[in-house]
Amino acid sequence: MGIPKPLVQLNQAFIVLTVVVGLFIPAVLILPFAIGVITLITRKNPVISFGKRFLRKPLNSYIPEDPEQQRFNQWIATICLGAALVFFIVNIPALGYAFSLMVMAAAGTALMGYCIGCTIRYRYMMWKHKRLNTNH
């Protein structure tokens, strides 16, 4: 079963909002980073779990999003947020801002309908498929 699209969008909005605040107060980036780590370890996103209670229709009546794709996207966001935190901690704020802005831009454009993580994963899968089928 897929993840209802409104819940995916809630998670994306959460990431955008916390990263915007994190640009002014970098310590706030710990929140979306921690949520990402929890999600990757448990395969349950606390933001999505929280949001389920606000859906008015049955979960299967919403457009589904691919859970594997969402995990892939979560890996990218969590790694970038972790890198941003490290750069802020070691006093290289320019790179902290760069990694934060990448996450914010990816989540923001996903809210508008374009998923860069989907493009990356698709191209990776095509590269892998092509490599496996040409090395015989």
Side-chain angles (χ1 to χ4, degrees), residues 50-124:
F50 175 77
K52 280 182 184 177
R53 67 186 74 183
F54 299 103
L55 294 180
R56 295 173 184 230
K57 299 186 289 186
L59 295 181
N60 63 0
S61 67
Y62 293 96
I63 295 171
E65 295 282 342
D66 178 26
E68 289 300 317
Q69 180 65 57
Q70 296 311 309
R71 260 189 290 290
F72 181 84
N73 295 347
Q74 190 70 63
W75 271 106
I76 295 171
T78 303
I79 289 168
C80 288
L81 289 168
L85 283 165
V86 167
F87 287 124
F88 281 121
I89 289 167
V90 299
N91 203 26
I92 308 175
L95 288 177
Y97 287 116
F99 277 90
S100 298
L101 289 169
M102 284 191 294
V103 173
M104 187 178 73
T109 56
L111 280 169
M112 293 185 277
Y114 176 72
C115 174
I116 187 67
C118 300
T119 301
I120 292 168
R121 183 171 177 244
Y122 173 79
R123 289 182 182 251
Y124 170 71

Side-chain angles (χ1 to χ4, degrees), residues 15-51:
I15 291 170
V16 169
L17 291 173
T18 55
V19 172
V20 166
V21 174
L23 293 173
F24 299 99
I25 308 166
V28 170
L29 295 175
I30 292 169
L31 185 58
F33 174 74
I35 296 286
V37 170
I38 290 166
T39 300
L40 293 170
I41 291 171
T42 66
R43 292 184 165 236
K44 290 185 187 271
N45 183 308
V47 173
I48 288 175
S49 296
F50 175 77

